[in-house]
Structures are given as C-alpha cells and as structure tokens.
Amino acid sequence: MNAAEAVETIQREMTIFARRARASAGRMHPELSLVSYTLLGHLEERGGCRATDLAAHYALDKSTVSRQVAALERAGLIERRVDAEDHRVQVLHLTEAGRRILAQVTESRRAAFRARLADWPEEDLARFADYLVRYNAWAPQEPDDA
C-alpha cells in the first residue's frame, strides 16, 4: 500500500470509528451525546474551565458549546461558579451528578474497548496507543509574522 492509499484508508477508518463512537455514546447513556461526554471529561480533567476554553480546545463554534453547556446545566451535570481570581469570569464545573454519570459512561466505554481489543497482542496495543497520541498531538503550524 502506498502513502496515498494509506491516507485514504486512515480517513475511511477514522470516519467509521467516529460514527461508531457517536452511536455507542447514545447507547451507553441516552442523554449524554459524544460531544457532551467529551466536554464533561475535559471539565473533570481540568478541574473546571470557561466555556470559551472548551470551544477553543475542541475547535468548536462558541454557539455549539453554548448549546451543549446549557443542556448539561439543565440536566444538572455542570454548574457555573464565579472565578476566585477574576469575579467577572464564570467557570464551569461538574456537579456530583455529572461526576457519577461521567464515571458510569467512562467505565462502560473502557469495557467496550477492552472487549474489542481483548485479542490484540500487548505490543500492538502499545503501538496503537502511541500512534493515537501522536496523531492527536498534531497541531497546525501558525504562519510566521515575519
């Protein structure tokens, strides 16, 4: 397989992966979309952040994040708190219900991955994990201002 064919295969397989991830997110918790799940995960990992930080991190439109945040607030999974250092800023945090739901969905997702990858040799798992980290670490280069 040449480089062009490999890139085409990667694109096709990543698309299939994304479709399956979206579908499985709905089955694991009907009220928690894949986007909502990732936003909750980021809030937990960061210990809270602003909605604009979520939009920037995931390269999402601010209105998309705003709708997701509003839905998560209505569901009682996140709450807004005034930033201790800058009282003009509101920071999003998980509620206890948000932590419980996130933990349940995370464990379900991990179990699904463990089942799907159960027959893979350890060295293949490590290589796959390294490739995913490398792929997701890429960031577009900003043009020089010079």
Side-chain angles (χ1 to χ4, degrees), residues 58-77:
Y58 288 107
L60 293 170
D61 185 76
K62 289 179 186 177
S63 64
T64 300
V65 171
S66 181
R67 284 190 301 275
Q68 292 291 328
V69 164
L72 291 170
E73 281 183 297
R74 281 192 305 275
L77 303 179

Side-chain angles (χ1 to χ4, degrees), residues 101-119:
I101 295 290
L102 181 61
Q104 290 168 0
V105 173
T106 298
E107 185 49 41
S108 294
R109 292 179 63 78
R110 283 186 184 139
F113 277 112
R114 282 192 296 270
R116 188 165 195 131
L117 300 169
D119 295 337

Side-chain angles (χ1 to χ4, degrees), residues 77-133:
L77 303 179
I78 64 172
E79 63 187 2
R80 293 176 191 265
R81 297 184 200 154
V82 174
D83 188 317
E85 295 176 15
D86 184 347
H87 296 293
R88 299 169 296 167
V89 175
Q90 291 189 332
V91 179
L92 304 171
H93 292 274
L94 293 179
T95 62
E96 282 307 312
R99 288 184 202 294
R100 275 193 312 276
I101 295 290
L102 181 61
Q104 290 168 0
V105 173
T106 298
E107 185 49 41
S108 294
R109 292 179 63 78
R110 283 186 184 139
F113 277 112
R114 282 192 296 270
R116 188 165 195 131
L117 300 169
D119 295 337
W120 286 37
E122 190 172 325
E123 58 274 6
D124 286 354
L125 289 172
R127 192 174 13 257
F128 186 48
D130 288 343
Y131 287 154
L132 287 172
V133 168

Side-chain angles (χ1 to χ4, degrees), residues 8-9 21 35 39 71 75 89 97 100 116 139 141:
E8 181 63 29
T9 298
V35 172
L39 296 181
V89 175
R100 275 193 312 276
R116 188 165 195 131
Q141 299 299 314

